[in-house]
């Protein structure tokens, strides 16, 4: 059973922790950004009250470091993830800590993210990147804008489908997103908006629509599994092959069919939704910051020269250190999995000052953690220099949390970072990026975060462009001066 998400005593008794009741307005469609706004006003520790339910949010770096103590705190499956359990059940992301399938699946799947397996995914990632590039080439020739978040979603869905399950969604053969994506987004939106429901209201129509979408997700995943079931999986090293054939190293047990379905749903969602958002934010910041873009181009050009269609090796991606800094800085400002919750294993004092009962939950809001003073005087500014090796070594280890924390942190982190770093380098090596519409950042929430309505136009780079970038980038200083405003709504433009 999940620990309680409610405070055992009125939150107002917690000394020094402000309580903000949002019942009159509700959380709207951007609840995480609403809490970001509340933290800007009230500080990095607060309790949000909605219809009598209290939820504590923290972004204080010292408190987050305390919450990372695995002996005193554990992952909490809060109300939002309880809703996701309606269609992902005991998958890795939504399982309770004491559910046996979590540890079993985690141990069985760990080899799929070892270095040897990562090398086998690289050609698949490159194959799907070529699909995206072909699509963007057609758009560039036609002078047509590309929808960045939609195309990043197409690419990451096809990548996880092929690399993880040997299943091709063929997303670039469609004019509209794959129906799986549309149903998934609606399920995630249902999971979020269900939190804000007025008690006693009739939500039967929304629930029926959700169930239809959830059933469709299950049918798609059943097709994915059926395509491999009954075939020899003894040598398979991808996710589905391991789930169908591998036994737990300790007791020899395997995953049951229902849990395999739950894990496939989890990986198809988590394996593409957050990564596509991260790449979309990174491209947004590159389009906004020409000096940074030229440095990323210089790094790619140094590896691949004038070749418009390079064949990057697996080891090449590890050499793209500045490109990775750009990706990390985009994840700092907008971590696409923006919140994670922890609960106390027993009665304790958080940070030595905030009393928590056993089972009491605290939610870490990563975008605000990543804007705390430990990041310097101007944490709202986009500056990849924050992720030089020297800067990282000087910063507390728990100040950067885009992938969660502890044993329940994202198992596919290296998969996502490799995929995203390679694609960013390939795209900036091939194209000039034009912000043709003067885009102002609007962040869409569907439990994960993405820039909404972000489009670019593209011009193919020439060999002369690449030579020019290489010659001039070395003298570029980091004078990053983005427009930074806070709208009266809860969307942020940076």
């Amino acid at each position: 059973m999940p620990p309680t998400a409610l405070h055992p005593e009125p939150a107002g008794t917690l000394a020094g922790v402000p309580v903000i009741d949002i019942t009159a307005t509700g959380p709207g469609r951007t609840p995480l950004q609403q809490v970001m706004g509340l933290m800007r006003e009230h500080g990095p520790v607060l309790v949000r009250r909605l219809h009598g339910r209290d939820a504590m949010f923290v972004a204080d770096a010292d408190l987050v470091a305390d919450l990372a103590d695995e002996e005193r705190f554990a992952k909490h499956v809060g109300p939002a993830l309880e809703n996701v359990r309606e269609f992902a059940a005991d998958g890795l992301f939504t399982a309770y800590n004491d559910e046996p399938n979590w540890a079993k699946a985690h141990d069985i799947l760990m080899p799929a993210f070892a270095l040897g397996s990562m090398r086998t995914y690289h050609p698949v990632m490159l194959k799907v990147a070529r699909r995206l590039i072909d699509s963007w080439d057609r758009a560039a020739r036609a002078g047509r804008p590309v929808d960045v978040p939609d195309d990043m979603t197409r690419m990451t869905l096809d990548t996880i489908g092929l690399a993880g399950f040997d299943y091709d969604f063929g997303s670039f053969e469609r004019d509209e997103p794959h129906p799986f994506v549309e149903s998934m987004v609606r399920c995630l939106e249902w999971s979020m908006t269900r939190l804000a429901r007025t008690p006693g209201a009739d939500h039967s129509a929304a629930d029926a629509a959700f169930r239809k979408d959830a059933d469709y997700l299950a049918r798609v995943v059943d097709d994915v599994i059926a395509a491999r079931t009954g075939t020899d999986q003894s040598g398979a090293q991808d996710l589905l092959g391991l789930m169908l054939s591998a036994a737990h190293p300790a007791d020899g047990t395997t995953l049951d069919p229902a849990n395999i379905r739950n894990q496939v749903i989890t990986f198809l969602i988590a394996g593409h939704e957050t990564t596509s958002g991260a790449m979309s934010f990174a491209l947004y910041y590159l389009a906004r910051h020409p000096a940074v873009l030229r440095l990323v181009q210089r790094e790619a050009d140094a590896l691949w020269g004038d070749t418009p269609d390079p064949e990057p090796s697996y080891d090449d991606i590890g050499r793209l250190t500045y490109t990775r800094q750009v990706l990390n800085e985009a994840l700092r400002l907008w971590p696409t999995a923006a919140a994670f919750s922890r609960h106390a294993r027993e009665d304790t004092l958080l940070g030595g000052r905030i009393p928590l009962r056993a089972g009491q939950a605290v939610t870490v809001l990563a975008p605000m953690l990543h804007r705390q003073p430990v990041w310097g005087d101007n944490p709202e500014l986009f500056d990849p220099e924050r992720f030089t090796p020297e800067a990282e070594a000087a910063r507390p280890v728990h100040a950067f949390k885009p992938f969660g924390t502890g044993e329940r942190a994202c198992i596919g982190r290296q998969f996502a970072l490799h995929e995203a770093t390679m694609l960013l380098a390939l795209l900036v090596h091939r194209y000039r990026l034009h912000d043709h519409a003067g885009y102002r950042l609007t962040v869409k929430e569907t439990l994960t975060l993405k820039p909404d309505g972000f489009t670019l136009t593209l011009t193919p780079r020439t060999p002369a462009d690449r030579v020019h970038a290489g010659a001039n980038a070395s003298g570029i200083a980091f004078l990053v001066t983005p427009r930074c405003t806070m709208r009266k709504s809860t969307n942020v433009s940076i």
Side-chain angles (χ1 to χ4, degrees):
M1 293 296 292
T4 177
L6 301 177
H7 289 283
E9 295 180 354
T13 64
L14 299 175
V17 179
V19 180
I20 298 95
D21 194 325
I22 64 164
T23 301
T25 60
R29 299 193 66 83
T30 55
L32 294 175
Q33 291 169 80
Q34 182 191 58
V35 178
M36 289 176 68
L38 295 175
M39 283 187 166
R40 294 177 192 275
E41 181 178 356
H42 298 283
V45 184
L46 58 82
V47 169
R48 186 195 68 179
R49 180 168 292 164
L50 175 64
H51 301 304
R53 291 176 61 97
D54 289 343
M56 181 182 293
F57 291 86
V58 303
D60 178 271
D62 291 336
L63 297 184
V64 173
D66 203 26
L67 287 167
D69 182 348
E70 289 288 311
E71 293 187 1
R72 295 170 52 224
F73 297 95
K75 172 167 178 167
H76 182 76
V77 177
L81 290 189
E82 289 283 355
N83 292 338
V84 177
R85 281 181 64 92
E86 293 292 324
F87 56 96
D90 60 350
L92 280 177
F93 186 57
T94 47
Y96 302 129
N97 296 308
D98 59 355
E99 284 185 305
N101 275 334
W102 176 80
K104 183 186 296 187
H106 183 271
D107 293 346
I108 286 174
L109 290 169
M110 278 299 292
F113 297 99
L115 177 61
S117 295
M118 290 298 300
R119 287 184 178 277
T120 68
Y121 301 142
H122 176 81
V124 178
M125 294 177 181
L126 184 57
K127 174 182 177 180
V128 179
R130 294 280 178 234
R131 296 180 180 181
L132 171 68
I133 288 169
D134 288 346
S135 174
W136 279 24
D137 281 353
R138 292 192 294 272
R141 287 194 296 269
R144 185 178 69 249
V146 294
D147 187 314
V148 174
D150 276 3
D151 282 347
M152 295 301 105
T153 297
R154 285 183 168 90
M155 197 211 72
T156 54
L157 179 66
D158 283 7
T159 299
I160 189 62
L162 283 166
F165 312 107
D166 196 26
Y167 186 90
D168 194 349
F169 284 93
S171 298
F172 287 100
E173 300 170 7
R174 302 169 178 270
D175 293 330
E176 299 296 326
H178 192 284
F180 181 91
V181 172
E182 296 177 322
S183 290
M184 176 208 69
V185 168
R186 287 192 294 266
C187 285
L188 292 174
E189 288 177 339
W190 176 88
S191 301
M192 181 178 68
T193 57
R194 194 184 190 202
L195 299 173
R197 288 182 174 181
T198 302
D202 181 12
H203 300 285
S204 56
D207 290 343
F210 159 75
R211 182 45 53 194
K212 181 178 179 181
D213 282 321
D215 289 345
Y216 175 73
L217 295 183
R219 288 198 302 274
V220 170
V221 169
D222 286 344
D223 288 344
V224 172
I225 296 171
R228 296 275 291 275
T229 302
T231 61
D232 182 10
Q233 302 295 313
S234 58
Q237 291 298 308
D238 67 358
L239 298 173
L240 185 53
L242 287 170
M243 286 189 280
L244 289 171
S245 65
H248 191 275
D251 60 17
T253 58
T254 58
L255 297 179
D256 61 78
N259 187 252
I260 292 175
R261 173 200 274 182
N262 297 334
Q263 303 300 354
V264 175
I265 290 175
T266 296
F267 275 106
L268 285 175
I269 295 173
H272 92 276
E273 179 70 0
T274 53
T275 310
S276 63
M279 288 191 289
S280 298
F281 282 117
L283 286 166
Y284 161 75
Y285 283 113
L286 288 175
R288 288 291 301 274
H289 299 291
V292 176
L293 174 58
R294 284 194 289 273
L295 287 174
V296 178
Q297 287 172 331
R298 180 193 181 197
E299 184 171 70
D301 296 348
L303 270 180
W304 302 321
D306 292 343
T307 306
D309 294 300
E311 291 289 332
S313 69
Y314 177 87
D315 292 329
D316 277 349
I317 310 311
R319 299 183 180 103
L320 295 166
T321 55
Y322 187 71
T323 307
R324 175 68 67 85
Q325 287 176 222
V326 167
L327 183 62
N328 281 344
E329 178 67 350
L331 280 168
R332 180 186 71 84
L333 286 166
W334 293 107
T336 50
F340 61 91
S341 295
R342 307 279 282 171
H343 66 251
R345 294 182 184 272
E346 56 187 31
D347 293 356
T348 190
L349 285 176
L350 176 61
R353 61 188 175 90
I354 299 175
L356 297 177
R357 296 276 187 88
Q360 192 168 342
V362 179
T363 296
V364 175
L365 192 62
M368 292 306 292
L369 168 67
H370 297 167
R371 287 167 167 79
Q372 291 306 297
V374 68
W375 292 93
D377 294 335
N378 297 295
E380 296 285 357
L381 300 185
F382 176 77
D383 181 2
E385 290 292 281
R386 300 182 204 275
F387 287 94
T388 63
E390 297 78 12
E392 289 196 274
R395 195 163 47 240
V397 66
H398 295 295
F400 186 53
K401 291 290 186 183
F403 297 100
T405 194
E407 63 180 8
R408 298 294 300 270
C410 176
I411 193 174
R413 172 178 180 169
Q414 293 307 319
F415 183 103
L417 290 172
H418 186 91
E419 176 186 16
T421 302
M422 180 177 73
L423 184 72
L424 287 177
L426 287 171
L427 294 179
V428 302
H429 182 68
R430 189 174 185 85
Y431 304 108
R432 297 181 190 175
L433 310 178
H434 306 292
D435 179 13
H436 65 107
Y439 178 72
R440 303 280 293 187
L441 181 60
T442 301
V443 178
K444 180 180 180 180
E445 295 187 24
T446 57
L447 285 183
T448 63
L449 306 181
K450 283 187 180 180
D452 191 26
F454 174 42
T455 61
L456 291 171
T457 54
L458 309 165
T459 303
R461 293 177 74 215
T462 65
D465 287 334
R466 297 184 182 100
V467 171
H468 181 74
N472 291 321
S474 60
I476 296 170
F478 276 89
L479 300 176
V480 185
T481 54
R483 293 168 291 177
C484 179
T485 61
M486 186 75 174
R487 298 183 182 179
K488 289 187 178 180
S489 71
T490 53
N491 293 331
V492 179
S493 294
I494 296 178

